[in-house]
Amino acid sequence: MNGSEGTTIVTQTTPLPERMVEFAEWQRRMNEAIVGVPGFLRQAVIPPHPPTQVDWVILQHFADRDAAVAWLHSPLRAERLAEAQPLILGRDDVHLVAGEAVEAPPAPVSLVISTQVKPGQEAAFRAWERRMTAAQARAPGFQGYRLEPPIPGLQEDWLAVVTFATEADLKAWLASTERARLLTEAEGFTQEFHTRIARTGFEHWFDFGRAQAGQVSAWKQNMIVLLLLYPVVFLFGSFVQAPWLMGRLGLPFPVALFLGNVVSVLLLNGLVPWASKRFGWWLRPVQPRLTLLGTALLLALYGVMIFGFTHLP
């Protein structure tokens, strides 16, 4: 199936805590290796978000299923995975999903469910799955659900992704008696069942919609973030952190700095989407002339802020 939205390889992996630095270096090499693969479009690496998400989620988006399958079976990927085996705990979860998978549209939290169905019990599983779908759709905070069937010779289990508005909503559904009852019903026709939780990263800051966005270059995203992070950090540090948190309240510098970072992240979640829409003409793949114009504008804004902050009384 070669859909216009392409195919995403969703990988969830858990590095050993003591090998995290080596895993990050391995991930960098994997990123470099996949760039030149035919049909590869873009990748998102979502780090852990404890305690809800303890593993890494890697989304590799390809133009079509054939290109994604070719990468899964490629000797280059096999070589890289062999290098990673001493660095990870347990086995990776790898699935093919039509379209942009968990990355877009973004959801605060997604539950990825893998189920192996006993041979000949597919009809019973589908009937049960319809009951499960109806039940979770009634749960508070439910946002969406999708089910991907097995791919013979490549993916033997059924993959479901259910999304909720908040972690609290998801936890409430996971602990519900109705879900527990339905899982008990499924024991007769399922061989294996396990779940993992995946949160989206900050890609939603730059979300223009899948059809028209294209790939947003990382250096452009970084420039937009810097444009807003610099004044937030400077102003908070000058007018709140130093005089109030450290001065009047007497908080130690590490504590005051941590509070400043919390405020910065909260503000950027609103400011970056606002700015990215206004710089959409520059963030999207554009002509070289517009790229130069937007870059020059941002550099000028940097200069204005530095000049202005330098001359504050």
Side-chain angles (χ1 to χ4, degrees):
M1 180 179 67
N2 299 334
S4 60
E5 294 182 336
T7 295
T8 299
I9 301 173
V10 181
T11 303
Q12 291 180 265
T13 186
T14 306
L16 293 167
E18 66 273 16
R19 309 295 293 273
M20 195 63 70
V21 174
E22 297 168 85
F23 176 80
E25 173 60 23
W26 171 84
Q27 185 62 56
R28 184 191 64 79
R29 295 197 302 272
M30 175 65 88
N31 295 346
E32 293 177 350
I34 199 174
V35 167
V37 172
F40 173 74
L41 298 178
R42 52 191 164 272
Q43 175 174 272
V45 179
I46 304 172
H49 191 278
T52 307
Q53 177 190 324
V54 297
D55 48 10
W56 291 71
V57 180
I58 298 121
L59 308 174
Q60 297 167 330
H61 190 55
F62 287 81
D64 51 48
R65 174 169 288 183
D66 291 340
V69 171
W71 166 246
L72 287 175
H73 291 308
S74 68
L76 178 58
R77 179 176 180 272
E79 178 184 341
R80 290 290 183 268
L81 291 181
E83 296 174 358
Q85 286 308 305
L87 310 178
I88 63 176
L89 178 66
R91 68 180 182 90
D92 291 347
D93 280 352
V94 181
H95 301 284
L96 281 180
V97 180
E100 296 256 8
V102 183
E103 181 182 14
V109 61
S110 298
L111 183 69
V112 182
I113 308 163
S114 298
T115 307
Q116 288 188 4
V117 179
K118 293 180 180 179
Q121 295 294 317
E122 289 79 10
F125 172 75
R126 292 304 296 264
W128 171 87
E129 184 268 337
R130 286 191 291 270
R131 296 196 300 274
M132 173 65 82
T133 301
Q136 63 193 10
R138 295 191 296 268
F142 173 80
Q143 288 194 341
Y145 175 77
R146 65 186 297 164
L147 180 71
E148 296 286 338
I151 303 172
L154 183 64
Q155 176 178 300
E156 300 304 323
D157 51 353
W158 294 74
L159 175 69
V161 181
V162 57
T163 58
F164 282 82
T166 67
E167 294 179 13
D169 290 331
L170 174 59
K171 290 177 179 178
W173 166 244
L174 293 178
S176 66
T177 55
E178 187 170 15
R179 180 175 182 272
R181 177 182 60 79
L182 286 167
L183 291 180
T184 301
E185 292 181 8
E187 292 175 355
F189 48 82
T190 56
Q191 289 180 324
E192 182 181 346
F193 173 88
H194 68 279
T195 63
R196 287 193 178 189
I197 293 176
R199 292 178 59 90
T200 55
F202 292 139
E203 289 77 19
H204 63 282
W205 282 356
F206 302 92
D207 180 42
F208 302 105
R210 282 181 291 178
Q212 69 271 28
Q215 183 178 9
V216 180
S217 299
W219 66 272
K220 290 184 177 181
Q221 296 183 28
N222 292 336
M223 288 190 72
I224 292 293
V225 172
L226 178 60
L227 176 70
L228 298 162
L229 181 62
Y230 175 60
V232 167
V233 171
F234 180 89
L235 294 173
F236 185 87
S238 299
F239 296 102
V240 179
Q241 180 176 314
W244 288 93
L245 298 182
M246 298 174 62
R248 297 203 174 187
L249 297 181
L251 296 178
F253 175 75
V255 176
L257 180 62
F258 174 80
L259 294 176
N261 288 337
V262 171
V263 171
S264 298
V265 170
L266 293 176
L267 290 177
L268 289 181
N269 270 289
L271 291 174
V272 174
W274 175 84
S276 67
K277 290 179 181 179
R278 283 147 185 81
F279 279 88
W281 57 272
W282 178 70
L283 286 168
R284 300 185 186 95
V286 294
Q287 300 175 358
R289 180 179 63 84
L290 291 179
T291 296
L292 291 174
L293 178 61
T295 304
L297 176 59
L298 283 170
L299 291 174
L301 291 174
Y302 294 162
V304 169
M305 286 190 298
I306 293 172
F307 178 84
F309 292 155
T310 302
H311 292 80
L312 278 178

